[in-house]
């Protein structure tokens, strides 16, 4: 897959993959980051735009990416701009696994079967071409090292990486402290990336679970309860089957 074909959710997931263990760093917050990365990717494609702290659909035409288009359609159906923190904080089913499976189909990762405690089957994912991850890392490293304002895509990736806590994974230890600080500072170089990254951090801090104030009628469905979680974002809801048959280790 060429560089121009990779989306921000894919790049964020590749950054989070540990090449040694095949697991993903920060798995719980990474799910939020992937939902946020979808929003940034849709904004870069000209499909949505920030409206204060909300997200508005400005062009509903599909992008050709099924997972992004699912998120776009869900946003379009809302009929009114959605607060980024409520969108990212809404429950979702298997978004990380959707992207891992996609990367596997594209040949960028390989599924490796194993066992947990010698009993429960597990699946880990190993990058098949570390040059791709190195290229993504080099963009972040260059922005951190040179101080030159990065392009919007790299700035958004840096903002999301910081928001989900990948700084310690990418730049560990005391020697990485200054790099982690500069990674955080890159959040200011892309308005949409900054909006989404702050929303991801707000959700982790509990803001996404707070009841809405003065909710707009268009955003509440029939019989909705105040403060109830919103429907899944970015992937269609599917019944869980055989959840004990295989554990996916991230």
């Amino acid at each position: 897959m060429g560089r121009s074909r990779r989306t921000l959710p894919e790049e964020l997931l590749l950054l989070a993959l540990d090449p040694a263990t095949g697991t993903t760093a920060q798995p719980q917050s990474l799910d939020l980051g992937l939902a946020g990365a979808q929003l940034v990717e849709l904004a870069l494609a000209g499909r949505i735009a920030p409206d204060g702290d909300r997200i508005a659909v400005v062009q509903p035409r599909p992008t050709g990416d099924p997972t992004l288009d699912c998120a776009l359609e869900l946003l379009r159906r809302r009929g009114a701009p959605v607060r980024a923190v409520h969108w990212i904080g809404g429950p979702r089913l298997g978004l990380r696994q959707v992207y891992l499976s996609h990367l596997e189909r594209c040949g960028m990762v390989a599924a490796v079967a194993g066992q947990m405690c010698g009993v429960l089957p597990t699946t880990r994912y190993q990058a098949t071409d570390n040059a791709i991850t190195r290229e993504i890392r080099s963009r972040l490293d260059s922005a951190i090292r040179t101080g030159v304002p990065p392009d919007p895509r790299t700035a958004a990736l840096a903002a999301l990486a910081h928001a989900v806590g990948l700084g310690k994974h990418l730049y560990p230890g005391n020697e990485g402290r200054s790099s982690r600080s500069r990674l955080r500072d890159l959040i200011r170089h892309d308005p949409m990336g900054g909006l989404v990254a702050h929303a991801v951090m707000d959700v982790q801090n509990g803001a996404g679970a707070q009841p809405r104030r003065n909710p707009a009628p268009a955003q509440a469905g029939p019989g909705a309860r105040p403060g109830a979680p919103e429907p899944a974002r970015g992937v269609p809801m599917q019944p869980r089957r055989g959840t004990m048959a295989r554990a996916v280790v991230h």
Side-chain angles (χ1 to χ4, degrees):
M1 178 179 266
R3 163 68 185 87
S4 62
R5 299 280 303 279
R6 291 200 305 270
T7 64
L8 272 174
E10 294 162 8
E11 292 194 329
L12 184 66
L13 186 50
L14 286 170
L15 278 180
L17 272 179
D18 188 314
T21 66
T23 60
T24 52
Q26 304 296 111
Q28 294 182 341
S29 56
L30 182 61
D31 288 342
L32 302 175
L34 291 172
Q38 286 187 316
L39 294 180
V40 179
E41 189 66 44
L42 287 170
L44 290 171
R47 301 309 195 269
I48 65 175
D51 182 3
D53 66 345
R54 297 174 183 266
I55 304 298
V57 175
V58 295
Q59 171 54 265
R61 180 169 54 85
T63 65
D65 181 297
T67 310
L68 290 175
D69 288 340
C70 181
L72 179 61
E73 177 61 14
L74 288 171
L75 285 165
R76 186 194 67 80
R77 290 179 183 175
R78 295 301 300 271
V82 183
R83 285 194 66 195
V85 69
H86 289 151
W87 176 267
I88 291 169
R92 57 188 49 80
L93 180 65
L95 188 57
R96 186 165 19 118
Q97 183 57 46
V98 166
Y99 276 107
L100 282 168
S101 298
H102 172 71
L103 291 177
E104 183 184 12
R105 289 193 301 271
C106 293
M108 285 192 282
V109 302
V112 180
Q115 288 185 329
M116 181 183 296
C117 301
V119 178
L120 186 64
T122 63
T123 302
R124 299 174 185 267
Y125 291 86
Q126 299 282 356
T128 57
D129 187 354
N130 290 326
I132 296 176
T133 303
R134 286 196 297 269
E135 184 270 330
I136 299 170
R137 278 290 303 272
S138 71
R139 285 160 43 211
L140 291 183
D141 292 344
S142 178
I144 288 172
R145 183 178 62 254
T146 65
V148 176
D151 62 275
R153 179 175 294 274
T154 301
L157 182 61
L160 288 163
H162 167 71
V164 302
L166 288 183
K168 291 183 179 180
H169 168 71
L170 299 172
Y171 306 103
N174 288 332
E175 63 275 16
R177 184 178 301 173
S178 61
S179 293
R180 294 195 298 269
S181 177
R182 295 190 190 102
L183 182 72
R184 179 196 62 219
D185 291 344
L186 291 175
I187 200 170
R188 70 182 187 274
H189 289 295
D190 179 61
M192 184 65 179
L195 168 65
V196 169
H198 282 297
V200 169
M201 291 185 283
D202 285 346
V203 172
Q204 294 180 81
N205 292 329
Q210 298 299 319
R212 301 182 192 182
R213 297 180 179 178
N214 301 321
Q219 295 181 349
R225 293 179 289 105
E230 296 187 354
R233 308 302 181 211
V235 292
M237 295 296 290
Q238 299 175 354
R240 301 177 104 179
R241 298 179 179 175
T243 54
M244 292 302 294
R246 178 173 295 274
V248 179
V249 180
H250 303 320

